[in-house]
Amino acid sequence: MNSIQLATLMCLAAPAALSAQNPDSRFETFPTYDGTDLELTVDASGTHWRLWSPEAEAARVILYPTGANTAATDTLDMTRSEGGTWVASVPRQLYGDFYTFSIKHSGRWLDETPGVWAKAVGVNGQRAAIIDFATTNPEGWEADRGPALAHINDAVIYEMHHRDFSVSPSSGIANKGKFLALTEPATHNAHGEATGIDHLKELGVTHVHILPSYDYNSVDEANLPANTYNWGYDPLNYNAPEGSYSTNPSDPAARVREMKEMVKSLHDNGLGVVMDVVYNHTADNDNSNFSLTAPGYYYRHRPDGSYSDASGCGNETASDRQQMRDYIVNSVKYWADEYHIDGFRFDLMAIHDIETMNEVAAALKEIRPDIFVYGEGWTAGDSPLPVERRALKENVAKMPQVAVFSDDLRDAVKGHYTDAADRGFATGKPGLEETVKIGIVAATAHPQVDYSKGANSKFPYAAAPTQVINYVSCHDDLMLTDKLRLSLPDDSEADRQRAARLAQTIVLTSQGTPFIFAGEEIFRDKKGVHNSYKSPDSINAIDWELKHSNAEQMAYYKELIRLRKEHPAFRMTTTDQVARHLRFDPVRPGLVSYSLVDNANGDSWNEIKVVFNGSNEAQTIKVARKDWTVIAEDGRINADGLSTTRGGTLTVAPRSALILARSK
Ligand code: CA
C-alpha cells in the first residue's frame, strides 16, 4: 500500500458529529453477532449456514458442484435468526460442494457472494468451498509453533513477496512464485550459493513478513500462465489464502494446505511468519462481499452518501462499527489459530480506530503472548474518523501492544520518499542528525534528543522502544538500491553499497525493531520503479546471481544481523533503560555518535561506541583510552572483532560506521 503520510501533512477535518444527515448513523442501531459459527459450520448433524445481514428482506444459500462455470444444484431459503443473522441447514456434510449467498435488499436480489467469512474458495474466490480443514494439516501440525520471542524488538523482519523471492530462474527453486517455494531446502543459484529458505537462515533474519497472502482480486487464477503480478493490496476474501500462490487454484484445499506447509517449513527452520493484512479497504465498492451481504454497513461514507476514501483505493472500512471491529479481531485470531501466524502488519492502520487495534493485540496475545502487531501509522487520505480515535503513529502510546513504522528514521537516513533525488544523512545531507537520533532512540523520550528539530515528528510518540519499526526500505516507494542510484547519480556502485551498509547499520543498531526489504542484502534493484505493484517479473523478481556479484554486501548484512542478535544492548525494552544506557555525543554535520553504557540490557559488553559518518569526508572522533575491540570500520564488520585499538583520536572513514566495544 502506498505510504503516503497525508495524515500528518493535511489540515484534518473536525470530527464529524453523528446526525440525522449522516448516512452512517442508522448502522448504530443494527444488531450484531459475534459467534464463531458465522457463515459455515460442518458438524456431525450436517452443514449449517449463518449469514449476518440485518437489513435483508430475504436470504438464500445457492449450492454448486464446482468453484466456477457450473449451474446451481440447489437453492436453500434462509430464515431469520438472532443478532441480525439468517440461517439454513442440511442434514448432511457437504464436503466437496461450493456455495454462495444472495440477499434481497430494497426489493431486489443482489448478486451472489461467497460471503465475508469464506475460509476456502474456488478459483478466483467467487464461490465458497466446503472442505474438511482437518485434512489440510501437514504432518506434525499440532506440535507446530513459531519461534519464541520475548519482545518484538528481538525480531529482525524480512519483508518479501512470494513471486519476487522465487520466480527468477536464478533462484533454483521449483515452485516459483508459490507458497511451496519456502518449503524447498538446498536450493541455490548457478554459483552454488544458497537461495530460498536456506538463504534466509544464512542471513539470520528471524521473521519473514509476507506481502498480502489472503485471496486478493487482481491476478486471474484461471489464467496463471499469463503470469500477471500484483502486490495484492486489493482484498477479496480475507479468510482464505490467495489462489495464485497455490499449485492448483481450482482445488480449494490446495491453497490452504500449501500455505500451512509454508508456515510449518519456516517454523521448522526457526523462522516466524508475519502476514500483511489489509482490512482498511476492499478491491470493490458496491460489489464487494461486504456490500453484497450488508450493504453500506462495513464502510464509512461522506455526508452525501458517497464512499469516503482514506485508503486512496476508493473506499475505507469502518472498524469503529461493532460488527466490523469484531470481524477484524476474529479474522486475525483465525489466521493465528488455523495457520499459526506469528505476527500481523496492518496496512494503513490509522484508518482503523485505536480501540480496534487494542482489541486485536489483546486477542492475539491471549492466543500466544509472542504474536506481535505493527502497522502503518498513517492514512492515505482524510477520513470521517476523528483524528484522536485513529491508530496513528502519533497515537501509538495509546496502543501499548502495537508498533508503528518510523518514517522519521527512514526519510532522515536515505532522503525523503517523495523526492527521488533528495539525499539523507547516509548520503551526505547535513541537518538531519537530530532526526536520526529520534530513530536511534525509537522515538522515545530521551534527555539528549531535541524533538523540536525532528523533520517528521516533533514529540516522542513511542511510550517504549518496542513500539517502533525502523527501516530505510520496503516494497513501497523507491527501494534502497534505486534510491541510492537516483540520489547519488555520480557515485560508483561501490560507493552506493557503502551508503547502503551505513544506512542498514543505523537500522540494525537502533533501538526498536529492524525491518529490511527482501534482496537488499544482495543489492537487488527494481530498475527505478517506485510503485511496482503490478510491474512484471522483470522489475520485481530478485536476481539471485547478485548474491555472487555482491557477496561482500551479503556478508556485511549477515554479520550486522548477528551483531544485533548477540547483543541485547541494541534491544532495550523500556524508555527508561534507553534514557539511562544510551548517551549521545554532541552532533556535528554528518556525524552522529553515542555510547551504550553499563552493560545495557544485560549485554556482555560494558560499553559499545557507535559512530555514523554520513559525510563524504573522513571525520575524527575522540574515544576514551581503553582496550577496545573494533567491530565495524570503513565498510567492514565482524561481530567478533576486526582488530583492536587503544582509543584516543580515531578516524571514521567517509560514509561508514565505526563500532567499538569493550568488556571492561
Ligand atoms: Ca485471488
Side-chain angles (χ1 to χ4, degrees), residues 124-125 215-219 221 236 242-244 255:
N124 282 324
D215 182 27
Y216 59 79
N217 192 50
S218 49
V219 171
E221 300 174 4
L236 180 61
E242 162 61 15
S244 66
R255 60 179 80 187

Side-chain angles (χ1 to χ4, degrees), residues 338-623:
E338 186 68 33
Y339 290 86
H340 303 179
I341 298 296
D342 305 291
F344 294 88
R345 176 266 190 196
F346 274 73
D347 187 66
L348 297 179
M349 185 171 70
I351 291 178
H352 306 313
D353 64 308
I354 290 168
E355 190 179 336
T356 296
M357 291 314 303
N358 282 334
E359 281 194 25
V360 161
L364 291 170
K365 297 276 175 202
E366 210 165 287
I367 293 171
R368 237 183 61 210
D370 46 11
I371 300 179
F372 56 89
V373 174
Y374 55 97
E376 292 184 307
W378 47 72
T379 67
D382 200 5
S383 169
L385 186 71
V387 175
E388 66 273 15
R389 292 185 64 189
R390 295 181 195 173
L392 283 164
K393 182 182 85 167
E394 291 80 358
N395 289 335
V396 75
K398 296 175 191 162
M399 302 179 280
Q401 304 284 3
V402 174
V404 290
F405 286 100
S406 168
D407 57 347
D408 308 86
L409 188 85
R410 182 196 68 197
D411 293 346
V413 167
K414 70 167 181 176
H416 203 264
Y417 76 101
T418 57
D419 178 1
D422 188 42
R423 297 186 188 185
F425 172 82
T427 43
K429 184 175 177 180
L432 293 161
E433 295 79 10
E434 207 66 23
T435 310
V436 171
K437 286 170 62 182
I438 291 174
I440 289 168
V441 299
T444 57
H446 188 284
Q448 294 173 295
V449 178
D450 181 356
Y451 277 83
S452 73
K453 294 180 182 162
N456 291 14
S457 303
K458 300 290 185 191
F459 74 102
Y461 52 84
T466 47
Q467 293 204 283
V468 160
I469 305 289
N470 275 321
Y471 71 123
V472 289
S473 184
C474 68
H475 70 278
D476 267 326
D477 308 321
L478 287 173
M479 57 91 54
L480 189 57
T481 304
D482 287 330
K483 176 71 173 168
L484 294 169
R485 285 189 184 146
L486 289 163
S487 59
L488 299 171
D490 302 324
D491 288 50
S492 66
E493 277 290 275
D495 280 344
R496 294 186 194 117
Q497 291 194 8
R498 278 181 75 89
R501 292 179 200 188
L502 171 59
Q504 297 289 13
T505 307
I506 298 172
V507 170
L508 268 297
T509 53
S510 285
Q511 305 300 316
T513 303
F515 171 109
I516 65 172
F517 179 54
E520 267 163 14
E521 70 279 15
I522 56 172
F523 211 61
R524 74 167 298 190
D525 67 355
K526 290 200 288 182
K527 298 188 169 65
V529 178
H530 73 97
N531 186 10
S532 66
Y533 78 101
K534 60 175 184 181
S535 298
D537 294 338
S538 58
I539 301 295
N540 282 307
I542 299 174
D543 174 8
W544 291 99
E545 287 306 302
L546 292 170
K547 188 168 178 181
H548 188 73
S549 46
N550 295 325
E552 286 181 27
Q553 202 72 353
M554 171 70 188
Y556 189 98
Y557 276 66
K558 183 179 158 183
E559 206 57 22
L560 181 58
I561 290 169
R562 184 165 79 92
L563 172 69
R564 181 180 179 89
K565 285 163 73 177
E566 290 182 357
H567 290 281
F570 301 114
R571 298 181 269 122
M572 288 185 268
T573 56
T574 68
T575 297
D576 181 55
Q577 252 185 326
V578 177
R580 281 190 288 119
H581 292 280
L582 195 156
R583 293 189 192 148
F584 286 104
D585 305 315
V587 299
R588 305 206 302 261
L591 196 83
V592 172
S593 63
Y594 62 93
S595 291
L596 296 164
V597 299
D598 299 335
N599 303 87
N601 203 21
D603 207 288
S604 59
W605 286 335
N606 176 274
E607 181 176 356
I608 308 172
K609 187 82 193 171
V610 183
V611 189
F612 302 126
N613 179 8
S615 75
N616 225 357
E617 311 290 333
Q619 301 212 48
T620 57
I621 183 162
K622 283 198 172 62
V623 177

Side-chain angles (χ1 to χ4, degrees), residues 618-621 633 649-653 658:
Q619 301 212 48
T620 57
I621 183 162
E633 183 181 33
T649 300
L650 302 178
T651 300
V652 191
L658 173 69

